[in-house]
Amino acid sequence: QVQLVESGGGVVEAGGSLRLSCTTSVNLFTFNPVSWYRQAPGKQRELVATISRGGTTTYADIVKGRFTISRDSLKNTVYLQMNDLAPPDTAVYYCNAQGTTPFDRNNHWGQGTQVTVSS
């Protein structure tokens, strides 16, 4: 069974940084892409950043220049480095991975990790 486990959330002051991790239970390259989403209270879940199997990264306009998505294939882990955090970044952050093998074409979600930015 495929599992995505997020970690790294917490409480940080405005202007601070956090690094989120998403570790997959299977080979990272069986997914394309792997993405980070977030959901603030009362709002819809929104796409934050994506990394493709080939390494191409894309970002929501609101986080460009502040957030960086990266991966360590040896650790089957995708990271989201978040700098210059602001209170509107407060949300539950979710890892998402799209399966691409004949045995798994499901869309997988992690359990989420809370990020709270205080002003």
Side-chain angles (χ1 to χ4, degrees), residues 31-94:
F31 304 113
N32 188 33
V34 178
S35 304
W36 285 97
Y37 285 76
R38 68 185 184 186
Q39 187 166 20
K43 294 188 176 181
Q44 289 189 329
R45 193 170 295 189
E46 62 178 358
L47 178 62
V48 175
T50 293
I51 186 165
S52 73
R53 182 182 290 154
T56 300
T57 59
T58 59
Y59 299 91
D61 287 343
I62 199 168
V63 305
K64 279 181 181 177
R66 300 189 298 125
F67 291 11
T68 302
I69 189 170
S70 63
R71 66 188 176 198
D72 184 333
S73 58
L74 294 179
K75 296 182 178 178
N76 289 327
T77 298
V78 172
Y79 302 100
L80 185 69
Q81 177 66 45
M82 305 185 295
N83 298 328
D84 193 22
L85 285 161
D89 295 314
T90 295
V92 179
Y93 284 71
Y94 296 92

Side-chain angles (χ1 to χ4, degrees), residues 94-105:
Y94 296 92
C95 182
N96 174 270
Q98 176 62 54
T100 62
T101 72
F103 307 102
D104 175 28
R105 296 195 183 277

